Amino acid sequence: MNPIDWIVLGSALALIVSYGIIKTRHVKTSESFLRGDGNMQWWLIGISIMATQASAITFLSTPGQAYADGMSFVQFYFGLPLAMIILCIFVLPLYYRLKVYTAYEFLENRFDLKTRTLTSILFLIQRGLAAGITIYAPSIILSTILGWNLNLTNVIIGFLVILYTVAGGTIAVSQTQKQQMIVIMTGMFLAFFYCISLLPENTGFGDAMFLAGETGKLNVIDFNFDLSNRYNVWSGLIGGTFLFLSYFGTDQSQVQRYLSGRSLTESRMGLMFNGLFKIPMQFFILLVGVMVFIFFQFNDAPLHYNPANTNLVMESNYAEEFRALEDEYQLVHEEKRTLMESYTALRQSEGAGEGTRQLGDQIREKMALENEYRDQARDLISRANPTLDTKDTDYVFITFVLNYLPVGLIGLLLAVIFSAAMSSTASELNALATTSIVDIYKRFFGQNKTDGHYLSASKYFTILWGLIALAFATFASLFENLIQAVNIIGSLFYGAILGVFVVAFFMKHIKGKHVFPAALIAEFLVILIYFLDVWGVIELSFLWLNLIGCVLVMIVSQILYYILRK
Amino acid sequence: MNELKTDHLEKEDDPPIFGTWTKVYIWLIVVNLICVILFYLFMIYYT
């Protein structure tokens, strides 16, 4: 990497961290540390919410997803504005009225202590593991591509986050997220416009979009109701609303962001801000991915984007086969490039017609052939080493950044990835420390201590969770399918947590004596269902466990209500 | 810690559920609907 890129990356990170520390020198009370000074403005809350949700993997994976499957993923977010409105109407006023620090604190008020403790422990397990992955996921990609030491990359991200999160708590998290979002959006806009400028001379943005349309990448809206299709308007509106309600309403890493608002009005406006800008932002990130796709149609595109996998297969018995496949792929790629140039020229001179339609068909045929070669390459990699992850779409955007962006902009885009990783991790550590101190430590072990004691304890808990996340990120490389394992663990617990909150908000007659055993029974059944799937008795994607857990808590609570009433 | 300073919260004017905020919620839905329509037109135009 060029020294200028190192300077840009280093300066951006140093500025963000020092800004976070300097801006929060006044934090001297546990309330300031855990909930902010209560003077956060709506736009800062909105930015903070968006920065928390958008992790590094968002900016690495999403363009790659658009490269492979087009823009249909944007529909996943269609339920988000509805979720924001429901939260503003039902959840925020309640949290504010009860003056809670954590979402789980509300459950003691509504039910009892044991229900609060159960949900907070489930959150700590789930989010503690996720924080490790938030650090690990970008580190593995950056270390593979740049040859950096994986553990060192983990430690740098973790150390920087711990530094300012311990110094200023919630305020530091929000203040740095403002800078991080500026870096992220500036970097993404520059990458987008630079990508357009790299297209061939006679190909403009409009021509690129027509090509994207011909190759099926502009599948933004799909009104067909199809349960097997993951992304369509209906799955986004129904499934998305449900998912975002649980994430923004019950996950402390998000709840903490809007509870730091100056007032209920500011917090509501913060959620509205998120509801307004989230969909356009996701659309834009996907559009960047589509532009990168078009760019690679006119430039040399690797057969497989993960260089570690390619190197491995090249050192195996399958090297010859892989090389032959690469040659055939390049041949088809060249033919397709010529077809695309002809398509653009014809469209510019004569507009759409029979000629462009025929060329479009030929382009799609070549694309299908290319995809076949890419599948065969993945198959060879699997045969060379069956434990390898052959999905390479996460490496598409970073390959473009490192090989085609100018000096300086590469450093800025790496700062984007680091900033995104840090902003999510900081919120997670902050939420983990707050839940540990408010729901566990203060409630059971440290009542009636001085405020200084709680402030110190909060900082120690932040360091502790930071170290746990780092340790987990370090050991993550030892397990091949760890990310999936963490997602499964999350799905095992998330449903029950959400179920308890749904009962709390919408089933007013249910009490703690009903919901606590219901949550335990639901959790047991969810784990049982999961193992039935593992043992091959049933077939069920683990994502459904979220919904099953939630519905089970509601049903069992209601049954227990009828039984115990008699 | 719940006993700590929370005066700013006491002063909060909690609007009724379907009061002045209704307009904001409707605007949010309308703006997002316009976004979806624009996406749709964008898709139709270029495909």
Side-chain angles (χ1 to χ4, degrees), chain A residues 131-150:
Chain A
I133 292 300
T134 313
I135 297 173
Y136 170 76
S139 295
I140 182 74
I141 294 171
L142 291 175
S143 62
T144 305
I145 292 272
L146 292 160
W148 293 352
N149 181 294
L150 174 63

Side-chain angles (χ1 to χ4, degrees), chain A residues 31 99 105 263-264 442, chain B residues 1-2 5 10 12 43:
Chain A
E31 184 178 12
K99 297 160 192 165
E105 209 178 341
S263 62
L264 175 58
K442 186 182 178 252
Chain B
M1 263 172 296
N2 287 351
K5 175 172 70 74
E10 303 291 350
E12 176 56 48
M43 181 179 83

Side-chain angles (χ1 to χ4, degrees), chain A residues 20-21 63 77 87 98 179 208 247 307 333 353 356 433 446 482 506:
Chain A
I21 294 171
Y77 292 89
L87 290 175
L98 297 172
Q179 319 298 326
Y247 175 57
H333 193 70
T356 52
L482 198 99
F506 300 108

Side-chain angles (χ1 to χ4, degrees), chain A residues 320-361:
Chain A
E320 275 306 307
E321 234 175 298
F322 194 84
R323 219 167 277 132
L325 208 56
E326 271 186 329
D327 291 342
E328 285 177 62
Y329 176 80
Q330 290 308 335
L331 210 67
V332 175
H333 193 70
E334 276 300 319
E335 288 169 0
K336 194 179 65 173
R337 183 192 304 190
T338 313
L339 285 171
M340 283 189 161
E341 282 165 355
S342 309
Y343 176 93
T344 304
L346 190 65
R347 189 166 190 117
Q348 281 171 349
S349 59
E350 295 175 18
E354 190 51 41
T356 52
R357 253 192 301 279
Q358 280 176 4
L359 280 169
D361 288 340

Side-chain angles (χ1 to χ4, degrees), chain A residues 405-479:
Chain A
L405 291 191
V407 170
L409 202 48
I410 294 177
L412 183 66
L413 263 292
L414 289 176
V416 167
I417 294 161
F418 270 90
S419 295
M422 285 160 61
S423 65
S424 299
T425 313
S427 287
E428 287 171 333
L429 296 189
N430 191 218
L432 285 163
T434 305
T435 305
S436 304
I437 197 95
V438 175
D439 296 309
I440 309 291
Y441 179 72
K442 186 182 178 252
R443 196 66 189 79
F444 292 102
F445 309 106
Q447 285 175 344
N448 306 320
K449 297 272 182 3
T450 63
D451 190 60
H453 174 87
Y454 291 131
L455 178 64
S456 304
S458 305
K459 294 190 175 194
Y460 286 129
F461 270 114
T462 309
I463 296 173
L464 178 70
W465 280 111
L467 294 177
I468 290 172
L470 258 179
F472 192 67
T474 306
F475 290 117
S477 57
L478 301 177
F479 307 94

Side-chain angles (χ1 to χ4, degrees), chain A residues 30-31 34-35 81 85 88-89 96-97 99 101 105 206 209-210 213 218 220-221 223 262-265 268-269 272 275-276 279 283 442 451, chain B residues 1-6 8-10 12-18 21 24-29 31-32 35-36 39-40 42-43 45-47:
Chain A
S30 61
E31 184 178 12
L34 298 175
R35 199 161 53 181
I85 292 171
C88 282
I89 294 173
Y96 261 88
R97 203 171 299 134
K99 297 160 192 165
Y101 278 75
E105 209 178 341
M209 287 300 103
F210 281 122
L218 298 186
V220 195
I221 308 282
F223 285 110
R262 182 185 285 170
S263 62
L264 175 58
T265 304
R268 275 179 166 154
M269 289 300 285
M272 291 293 105
L276 197 61
I279 294 175
F283 178 84
K442 186 182 178 252
D451 190 60
Chain B
M1 263 172 296
N2 287 351
E3 297 79 27
L4 292 173
K5 175 172 70 74
T6 50
H8 64 284
L9 297 176
E10 303 291 350
E12 176 56 48
D13 174 24
D14 187 3
I17 287 177
F18 292 110
W21 278 94
V24 179
Y25 301 145
I26 291 170
W27 269 111
L28 183 71
I29 291 172
V31 171
N32 275 292
C35 263
V36 173
F39 292 166
Y40 188 70
F42 170 82
M43 181 179 83
Y45 180 74
Y46 284 115
T47 50

